[in-house]
Amino acid sequence: IASGYDLSAALECLTLRPSSSAPRSVVPAPSPFPVPTLDDVSDANRAAFEGLRGALGFVPNLYATFAHSRTALGTYLALQGARSSITDRAREVVNLVMSQANDFAYCLAAHSALGRRLGFTDAGLLEIRGGRAAFDEKLDALARFVRATVAARGHPDPEAVDAFLAAGWTREPLVDTVMAIGDKTISNYLHGTTRVPVDFPAAPALA
C-alpha cells in the first residue's frame, strides 16, 4: 500500500515561479469569487492556511478558495492525504489526464510542475495529458482507463476495465483510481466555478 499522497510535495512545486498566465486554449474571465485571506476564514481554515504558508510561504489560490466553506478545505486536504494503493506517479497520471480532459488551467499547471518533480519529462507530461504513456505499460493502461472513464462520464466500456486489469493492475488500484478521479473532479470543478487566478507557471498548450 502506498503512503498518503505527498501533499507537501505537491504544494512545494507551486513555489517555482508564481504566474498568472494560462494555457492559450483557456480564455481568462473575471472571477466572481474573491480569494479568501487569513483574516477572512474560520479558525479551522486559519490553521490550515498557517500550515500551508509554513510549508510554502504562501497559500495557493485554489486551496484558499475552499475556505469559503468552513469545512471544505479540511475535508479536501484529508482526502488528498489519505492512504492509497497507487503511487504518487500514478496519481499524477490521473490528475493530468483529468485536468486535460476537463480543460482546467489551474490543475494542469500544478500537476505539470509536480509531474516534473516526480521524474516525468516534458514530453512525457504532454503524452500523459493526451491520455497515453507509451514509455510505461502500466501507466499507459492507467491513462487510457482514466481518459475512457472521463469521456464516458463515469461509464467506461468493460473493455477499458479489462485492459486496465490485463496490464497488471488489480481491483484495489482500480477502486483507488476512481477515488483519485473523484478528488481531481472536485478541484477541477471548483476552479471552473470560481475562476480564481492561476498563481504559478502555466502548462504549455498541447499541439
Side-chain angles (χ1 to χ4, degrees):
I1 303 291
S3 61
Y5 184 56
D6 190 350
L7 180 61
S8 63
L11 295 174
E12 180 182 344
C13 75
L14 307 187
T15 65
L16 294 174
R17 285 199 321 273
S19 169
S20 60
S21 60
R24 291 191 299 272
S25 62
V26 177
V27 178
S31 172
F33 280 77
V35 177
T37 67
L38 189 65
D39 293 335
D40 300 325
V41 302
S42 68
D43 289 344
N45 284 328
R46 190 172 293 117
F49 274 35
E50 293 288 7
L52 293 170
R53 184 170 293 159
L56 304 174
F58 81 113
V59 179
N61 285 343
L62 189 56
Y63 284 91
T65 304
F66 278 96
H68 281 291
S69 163
R70 287 178 294 173
T71 58
L73 178 58
T75 300
Y76 187 67
L77 291 174
L79 174 61
Q80 287 206 315
R83 293 178 66 83
S84 175
S85 64
I86 63 174
T87 66
D88 286 353
R89 280 172 61 87
R91 189 153 179 171
E92 284 314 304
V93 170
V94 178
N95 292 337
L96 287 161
V97 174
M98 284 287 298
S99 298
Q100 182 64 50
N102 291 326
D103 196 19
F104 283 105
Y106 200 108
C107 297
L108 280 173
H111 294 294
S112 292
L114 180 57
R116 291 187 194 95
R117 191 179 188 277
L118 292 173
F120 291 119
T121 65
D122 287 346
L125 291 170
L126 292 173
E127 185 180 8
I128 291 167
R129 287 168 54 190
R132 294 292 307 276
F135 55 86
D136 183 294
E137 181 180 358
K138 288 187 71 174
L139 293 182
D140 188 55
L142 174 62
R144 287 170 176 266
F145 171 73
V146 174
R147 187 174 187 183
T149 300
V150 176
R153 298 184 180 182
H155 297 275
D157 291 334
E159 291 81 2
V161 178
D162 291 344
F164 179 87
L165 296 172
W169 298 100
T170 65
R171 293 182 182 88
E172 182 177 16
L174 176 66
V175 172
D176 285 337
T177 294
V178 175
M179 290 290 291
I181 289 172
D183 169 351
K184 193 44 48 189
T185 299
I186 293 169
S187 59
N188 280 180
Y189 282 19
L190 183 63
H191 188 248
T193 300
T194 62
R195 301 177 182 176
V196 294
V198 180
D199 51 354
F200 44 89
L206 291 182

